[in-house]
Amino acid sequence: MFRFEADSGLINAVLRKIPNQDFLYQEGVIVGRVALPISSFTVVVVPGFDGTHVVLSIPFSEVKGDKTGKFFLSKILNVFWGTIAKQVEAAVIPRLRREGLPANTVTLERSKDRSGDVGKIKISLAAVNSWLAGRHPRLTPSVTDVCFTRGSCLIVGELASHNVPD
Amino acid sequence: MRGSSKVELDKETVNILLKEFASKPDSEVTFENGRLFAHLSGLKVEITNLPLNSTKLNLEGSFGKVDVELSDFLMEANGVKMNFEVEVD
């Protein structure tokens, strides 16, 4: 068993590497400021783990535009989520393929909760583990649990060794 | 930007890594009860304390430059615990 825990400082250092966006991990959620040509908007991303996927939930009600206002952006997201999801997938899938990850590593979907519509970016642990298994000829790490707390992210996994015949 | 991380490896994981990266056909390094044992061609070496604190690593890859400082390294009966200070360029 291995456990890797990164504090919010380290998570934010990694988030800073994402171009054209300003994301900050604080109090267990990611608050992001995304710049678009017409306006910029803030978005709250709630990370979690459902047992098979790391799920990044984006409540539409928490998306706020600098000029467009909260209500208007929520409506736009509601109407155009399908189109946005397809565009995000079109941008992400080639990058996943370049890194050797299967196309189904990241999927986007929409669901409803008490606050209304929620966009979800789901990262498949099975796909990530399958990719990890191909990184070394004899060692197979696999992630079994991911936990987000107010100040850190904890990743738990197993390391297996298998002999390859000469 | 700076941050910190903790890594914990149980004894099975430590031994898998030692077998893969520290052992050779004529020498074996193992971890048992919080101690490291090196078996070198008939000579048995027992390491009870490994003061790796303040070890600094500079990593460079497609992700950019990352400076890592090992701020704490503990060998315990059930495994190894490490604390790192990390600076991402």
Side-chain angles (χ1 to χ4, degrees):
Chain A
M1 188 267 293
F2 63 82
R3 292 162 62 93
F4 171 79
E5 186 174 3
D7 75 352
S8 55
L10 182 54
I11 296 168
N12 285 327
V14 173
L15 288 173
R16 278 279 176 93
K17 305 290 273 183
I18 301 173
N20 304 322
Q21 276 117 55
D22 186 13
F23 288 114
L24 190 66
Y25 185 80
Q26 54 185 23
E27 300 295 319
V29 300
I30 301 164
V31 179
R33 189 174 176 80
V34 182
L36 291 177
I38 50 162
S39 174
S40 62
F41 60 92
T42 55
V43 58
V44 174
V45 182
V46 184
F49 181 61
D50 69 3
T52 58
H53 291 78
V54 172
V55 183
L56 304 173
S57 300
I58 306 162
F60 290 177
S61 60
E62 294 296 326
V63 181
K64 296 168 188 172
D66 278 359
K67 294 173 187 168
T68 49
K70 181 177 171 180
F71 177 75
F72 184 61
L73 264 178
S74 295
K75 280 283 179 202
I76 286 181
L77 274 171
N78 253 324
V79 174
F80 291 107
W81 175 255
T83 310
I84 294 167
K86 277 181 191 158
Q87 285 185 346
V88 171
E89 282 174 351
V92 167
I93 287 170
R95 184 162 189 153
L96 293 173
R97 288 207 174 114
R98 260 203 314 277
E99 301 295 333
L101 281 152
N104 67 349
T105 305
V106 176
T107 51
L108 279 83
E109 62 183 53
R110 179 165 65 177
S111 64
K112 272 187 188 293
D113 71 7
R114 279 177 298 176
S115 69
D117 286 287
V118 179
K120 289 187 174 178
I121 300 171
K122 300 178 77 171
I123 302 165
S124 162
L125 223 54
V128 171
N129 284 337
S130 143
W131 178 78
L132 285 172
R135 299 295 92 195
H136 193 275
R138 290 173 299 280
L139 300 181
T140 306
S142 60
V143 176
T144 55
D145 195 11
V146 182
C147 179
F148 296 91
T149 66
R150 290 169 72 93
S152 68
C153 169
L154 174 67
I155 297 170
V156 181
E158 299 285 343
L159 180 68
S161 172
H162 47 95
N163 292 320
V164 176
D166 294 329
Chain B
M1 283 196 76
R2 290 183 69 87
S4 63
S5 70
K6 295 177 186 173
V7 176
E8 289 181 32
L9 308 173
D10 71 0
K11 57 187 177 188
E12 287 79 16
T13 303
V14 174
N15 277 316
I16 287 171
L17 292 171
L18 288 173
K19 187 173 183 183
E20 181 64 32
F21 297 110
S23 299
K24 292 179 179 174
D26 61 343
S27 64
E28 188 182 23
V29 183
T30 57
F31 179 82
E32 207 175 307
N33 292 323
R35 292 166 185 192
L36 281 171
F37 295 92
H39 305 266
L40 310 163
S41 310
L43 176 68
K44 185 178 175 183
V45 180
E46 181 179 343
I47 301 166
T48 55
N49 183 28
L50 197 58
L52 292 174
N53 299 24
S54 302
T55 300
K56 290 182 181 176
L57 307 167
N58 303 115
L59 314 175
E60 197 170 342
S62 57
F63 47 80
K65 287 183 182 173
V66 180
D67 295 333
V68 181
E69 182 173 347
L70 184 59
S71 54
D72 219 354
F73 179 85
L74 290 170
M75 294 196 297
E76 297 181 341
N78 292 327
V80 170
K81 289 182 180 173
M82 292 169 277
N83 291 337
F84 295 96
E85 294 297 322
V86 185
E87 185 157 358
V88 180
D89 192 14

